[in-house]
Amino acid sequence: NAGVTQTPKFRILKIGQSMTLQCAQDMNHNYMYWYRQDPGMGLKLIYYSVGAGITDKGEVPNGYNVSRSTTEDFPLRLELAAPSQTSVYFCASSLGTFSNQPQHFGDGTRLSIL
Amino acid sequence: GNSVTQMEGPVTLSEEAFLTINCTYTATGYPSLFWYVQYPGEGLQLLLKATKADDKGSNKGFEATYRKETTSFHLEKGSVQVSDSAVYFCALRLQGGSEKLVFGKGTKLTVNP
């Protein structure tokens, strides 16, 4: 059972480039989340989804977009990369629907923008 | 608003020492409380949780009790090991809706042999 899989693990981008961070889960979870982790700042929620076709903004959504066309996948897109988006990005999923189950996290994508 | 405050790190202990990492929260309603652990180069893993007042979560020798009167969820372990070296995050989840987590800033623990 793979759990939550994120790709790539590392990436370096130039300012202005775009890229998509991939996230897939095989646990049939309804809810999925994207966080960014900056040093000494904990995790901040970027976007989340409570089911296929439904997405909503979190605490720090500016500069990012998401889609949720299937239950399994929840890609995060950076359209115009900026140095402020240098961070470690974590995807998470949970069963949701008031199941009282915890979130499961992927191993993260370390992104540097130069 | 909803927030979590953890003690500042880093924390450095010798093996077999007693560990306490303080966590207090501010929330509307009745949140569930969690401790997550992050080992170097890895994602977050759930360590323990408590869903209502006076619940005690425990796992791998770690414990935390949900104290509604003091809005706290302090993490404790009686005897730490080198393998416990990691970053520990306290988090709350509000009831209902999207089940979003609100995290503290994390506390880095280093245990020396």
Side-chain angles (χ1 to χ4, degrees), chain B:
Chain B
N2 303 305
S3 65
V4 174
T5 302
Q6 287 182 239
M7 64 183 287
E8 295 275 336
V11 174
T12 302
L13 296 173
S14 298
E15 209 165 21
E16 299 184 3
F18 184 85
L19 168 70
T20 299
I21 301 178
N22 289 338
C23 172
T24 57
Y25 68 90
T26 302
T28 54
Y30 302 97
S32 296
L33 301 173
F34 302 82
W35 277 101
Y36 279 85
V37 59
Q38 183 181 32
Y39 299 104
E42 298 184 9
L44 278 71
Q45 303 174 25
L46 178 68
L47 181 59
L48 52 85
K49 69 176 183 178
T51 57
K52 61 183 186 299
D54 300 324
D55 268 3
K56 177 186 283 188
S58 61
N59 186 25
K60 300 181 180 179
F62 291 89
E63 292 183 340
T65 301
Y66 190 141
R67 301 286 188 199
K68 188 171 181 292
E69 64 276 13
T70 55
T71 61
S72 65
F73 193 54
H74 305 321
L75 182 68
E76 296 182 337
K77 187 174 185 181
S79 176
V80 294
Q81 305 300 312
V82 172
S83 58
D84 293 328
S85 298
V87 181
Y88 292 82
F89 292 92
C90 184
L92 67 82
R93 184 179 69 195
L94 299 174
Q95 288 183 329
S98 65
E99 301 188 355
K100 291 181 284 187
L101 290 173
V102 176
F103 285 91
K105 293 184 178 182
T107 302
K108 183 176 181 179
L109 170 66
T110 301
V111 180
N112 295 318

Side-chain angles (χ1 to χ4, degrees), chain A residues 4-114:
Chain A
V4 179
T5 303
Q6 290 184 239
T7 56
K9 293 190 183 302
F10 306 95
R11 184 73 183 269
I12 298 174
L13 286 181
K14 294 182 179 179
I15 294 171
Q17 286 187 317
S18 62
M19 79 162 292
T20 299
L21 282 66
Q22 301 292 344
C23 175
Q25 53 89 12
D26 62 359
M27 297 174 282
N28 203 30
H29 282 174
N30 295 308
Y31 291 13
M32 296 187 75
Y33 311 83
W34 273 107
Y35 296 90
R36 58 178 287 172
Q37 183 182 30
D38 299 319
M41 296 300 293
L43 279 76
K44 301 289 187 183
L45 183 64
I46 305 171
Y47 270 95
Y48 66 97
S49 168
V50 299
I54 305 169
T55 62
D56 210 343
K57 295 178 180 179
E59 188 179 357
V60 289
N62 291 344
Y64 306 94
N65 279 300
V66 293
S67 60
R68 184 96 182 270
S69 56
T70 66
T71 299
E72 295 78 19
D73 300 300
F74 191 41
L76 176 72
R77 181 141 181 98
L78 284 70
E79 290 293 350
L80 290 170
S84 61
Q85 294 176 306
T86 294
S87 189
V88 181
Y89 292 84
F90 288 100
C91 179
S93 72
S94 67
L95 187 59
T97 58
F98 304 94
S99 67
N100 207 25
Q101 293 301 305
Q103 290 184 17
H104 297 257
F105 284 78
D107 286 342
T109 295
R110 186 175 297 273
L111 181 62
S112 295
I113 296 157
L114 307 175

